[in-house]
């Protein structure tokens, strides 16, 4: 099982957490990966689980584009997709703390 990432570390208010999500999403660049990362961060910060099916509805992206961005983030080890063999679109997605740190480091370089 993958633990939720602590997004509110050092953030005092929900606005601080949302600002932190905006900052994190900038590390993914422009486009679909940024939108997916932002949506995931906001949902996780509010304590909600996010499934593969939720991604395109959260971002407004076409399903194939949202899924491609999600797979790119998974390949980059920024997110984990916790498989659900009974319902592939019901698989939960979690941000990875280590992956977010690596993303920040790469962007700073």
């Amino acid at each position: 099982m993958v633990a939720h990432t602590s997004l509110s570390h050092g953030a005092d208010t929900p606005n601080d957490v949302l600002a932190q999500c905006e900052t994190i999403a900038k590390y993914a660049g422009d486009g679909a990966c940024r939108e997916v990362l932002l949506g995931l961060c906001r949902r996780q910060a509010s304590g909600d689980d996010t499934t593969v099916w939720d991604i395109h509805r959260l971002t407004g992206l076409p399903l194939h584009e949202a899924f491609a961005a999600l797979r790119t983030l998974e390949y980059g080890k920024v997110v984990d997709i916790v498989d659900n063999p009974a319902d592939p679109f019901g698989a939960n997605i979690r941000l990875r703390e280590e992956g977010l740190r690596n993303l920040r480091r790469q962007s700073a370089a």
Side-chain angles (χ1 to χ4, degrees), residues 26 39 41 64 69 98:
K26 288 178 186 176
C41 181
H64 70 279
E98 182 178 331

Side-chain angles (χ1 to χ4, degrees), residues 23-83:
T23 300
I24 289 169
K26 288 178 186 176
Y27 296 128
D30 293 331
C33 286
R34 181 187 187 285
E35 293 302 315
V36 169
L37 190 56
L38 182 59
L40 284 170
C41 181
R42 287 177 175 164
R43 291 272 299 197
Q44 201 159 311
S46 68
D48 295 325
D49 286 335
T50 305
T51 66
V52 171
W53 183 250
D54 293 328
I55 293 298
H56 82 280
R57 295 181 311 137
L58 289 172
T59 61
L61 296 168
L63 180 59
H64 70 279
E65 192 174 338
F67 186 71
L70 179 61
R71 294 292 290 182
T72 298
L73 292 169
E74 180 189 34
Y75 182 75
K77 301 191 183 301
V78 176
V79 301
D80 279 321
I81 300 175
V82 184
D83 291 330

